[in-house]
Every structure is written in structure tokens, then in C-alpha cells.
Amino acid sequence: KSTVSSWCSGQKLPRMDKVEALADILQVTKSALIEDWSSSNHRPAPFGITRVPRVGSIACGEPILAEQNIESYDAVPDFVNCDFTLVCKGDSMINARICDGDIVCIKQQPEVENGQIAAVQVGEDSATLKRVRYLENGIALWPENPAYAPMIFAGDDMAKIRILGLATHFISRCI
């Protein structure tokens, strides 16, 4: 995080291996990144940066308390469609490449499509990040780690859950 910040502020230029990795992620050419850094006071120009509120943590394992207060702000590229971010806690989503400490970008919406990853409120004060699977008479919150069992809700238990939003992107702490 501090490295990318130093690139954006113009304090440092990224090494070529990092330029190559960034170009692959952003699906642009290396020359586009290099020309933009060299011609704009070392600030990346292929995308803008937006400050998005971080509203707490979300469980990637057992549900934990969902903080509803803004803790800080995360810088995310403009092309990321999200309303807020959360810090992931736990390892239940590792097979989706979402690790403990990663930042997940959430687009606030009350519904997601079958199979999408979402932030889901469970009960009054906890939330979890899981893949949503619709069942014939309920819903399953599916982990991406075989060490965890799905959380299944049906009947009256359906009133305990509420989809907070779709996980649109994540920012890995392991770049």
C-alpha cells in the first residue's frame, strides 16, 4: 500500500517488473504506463483514484461484528464500481484468492445473482463474505475453502439474513 502510494505521489517510480505486473492487471501496455508516469509528474494516468469509505471488517470464516462507522478511506481506481470497502478477516475465501487482511470493494445492492460473492448481514450485528447460492427453499452462503461448511438458511431463518452488496473487486495485501 505504501509503495503504490509513493508511486502515485511521485516520490518513487516502480521497477520494471512491477510495471509489467500492473500493466497485466490493468490490461494496458507497459508503454502506456511508462509514458503516463514520465509525462505527468510521475502520476499514473490510465485511471483516476477515488477515495472510498472503509466501514469496517467482514468475516471470511465465522460471522463477526459488522462496523457501520467509517474507519478510514481506501484509494481505489475509478473503474472499480463500489460504494464502500471492508477488510477481510479469516481464510474461508482463499480459493477465491481473497485472503485475511485483503480489502474487498462492495457495491451496495439488496440482491446478487446466483454464485456471486457478496457481503451478507447475518442477524442484527454480524456480516460475512461468501458466495451466494440460491436453493429451492432457501439460500446457502458458500465458503471458498473446503475446511468450512456452507451456512444454510431456509424458512424463518431467511429473515435473519440480508445481502449488503456485491463484492466487485478486492485489493490483495500480497502483491
Side-chain angles (χ1 to χ4, degrees):
K1 192 173 180 179
S2 64
T3 300
V4 173
S5 177
S6 69
W7 298 344
C8 293
S9 69
Q11 295 172 342
K12 294 182 182 178
L13 288 175
R15 294 188 329 240
M16 187 51 67
D17 63 323
K18 301 303 180 199
V19 172
E20 289 173 355
L22 191 57
D24 288 343
I25 291 167
L26 298 174
Q27 298 179 345
V28 298
T29 63
K30 291 180 287 188
S31 61
L33 290 176
I34 293 168
E35 289 168 12
D36 286 328
W37 265 307
S38 62
S39 67
S40 64
N41 195 20
H42 308 297
R43 288 188 176 94
F47 56 85
I49 299 293
T50 302
R51 287 172 27 103
V52 177
R54 180 186 300 172
V55 295
S57 301
I58 191 160
C60 292
E62 295 299 318
I64 60 174
L65 180 67
E67 302 284 340
Q68 293 303 316
N69 298 322
I70 295 174
E71 291 182 352
S72 62
Y73 289 85
D74 290 306
V76 299
D78 284 342
F79 65 81
V80 173
N81 186 10
C82 71
D83 297 306
F84 60 92
T85 61
L86 296 162
V87 177
C88 295
K89 301 290 181 190
D91 65 353
S92 75
M93 297 303 287
I94 58 172
N95 288 347
R97 295 193 51 216
I98 301 172
C99 302
D100 185 56
D102 286 354
I103 305 296
V104 64
C105 302
I106 304 292
K107 173 68 177 159
Q108 192 171 345
Q109 58 187 59
E111 296 178 4
V112 295
E113 293 180 19
N114 193 43
Q116 290 184 315
I117 297 174
V120 181
Q121 184 175 342
V122 180
E124 290 294 317
D125 58 0
S126 63
T128 189
L129 185 73
K130 295 286 184 284
R131 192 169 297 279
V132 175
R133 303 258 188 230
Y134 295 104
L135 308 173
E136 188 174 317
N137 295 318
I139 193 169
L141 304 180
W142 211 268
E144 287 290 331
N145 180 341
Y148 293 88
M151 301 165 63
I152 298 175
F153 299 87
D156 292 342
D157 286 341
M158 291 290 291
K160 295 179 183 176
I161 64 167
R162 180 173 66 98
I163 293 174
L164 300 173
L166 174 68
T168 61
H169 292 81
F170 70 94
I171 303 165
S172 178
R173 63 178 179 81
C174 312
I175 294 178

